[in-house]
Amino acid sequence: MDTIQWQFAIAGFINGLVHLIVLTASIIIVVKKRSVASLLLLVGSLLNSVGLVGGFVYNAWAAQKGTEAILDAQVTLTFFNAFSFFVFGLGLFLLALGFYKKS
């Protein structure tokens, strides 16, 4: 493998590790405090993880169909990732609001 392939592989590994850490933290938060905020964190994290894994599969499938399919896949994945991050961010925002109300 050349340098760019190694860099891509390392970045993918780190990205997957970060997703796993955030997913695990979201599960712990839901177990410790069940609320709308914690459930939104978990759902957003799950959707983000699905987007990560599904993105590889979807891109591989699109690559077989041609350039236009790859562009369509990227647009779809961008919207999906933005939505999942929005759900996660909304949960984090609600959790932060609840945290400061108790102080």
Side-chain angles (χ1 to χ4, degrees):
M1 275 209 283
D2 63 354
T3 304
I4 290 182
Q5 288 175 322
W6 276 109
Q7 290 172 343
F8 187 70
I10 291 168
F13 175 76
I14 292 170
N15 194 11
L17 186 61
V18 169
H19 276 81
L20 183 62
I21 290 169
V22 171
L23 180 61
T24 303
S26 298
I27 291 169
I28 291 169
I29 290 171
V30 167
V31 167
K32 296 219 178 241
K33 181 182 180 192
R34 218 169 266 238
S35 67
V36 172
S38 64
L39 289 174
L40 284 173
L41 280 175
L42 180 61
V43 169
S45 180
L46 283 170
L47 287 174
N48 213 342
S49 296
V50 167
L52 175 70
V53 175
F56 287 116
V57 174
Y58 193 26
N59 277 326
W61 175 80
Q64 295 174 350
K65 301 290 182 185
T67 306
E68 190 171 328
I70 292 173
L71 292 174
D72 288 340
Q74 289 303 309
V75 169
T76 302
L77 289 169
T78 299
F79 277 112
F80 185 82
N81 287 332
F83 175 74
S84 65
F85 195 61
F86 174 76
V87 172
F88 183 84
L90 184 61
L92 184 61
F93 180 73
L94 292 174
L95 193 65
L97 285 178
F99 179 76
Y100 285 112
K101 284 182 183 177
K102 293 179 183 177
S103 297

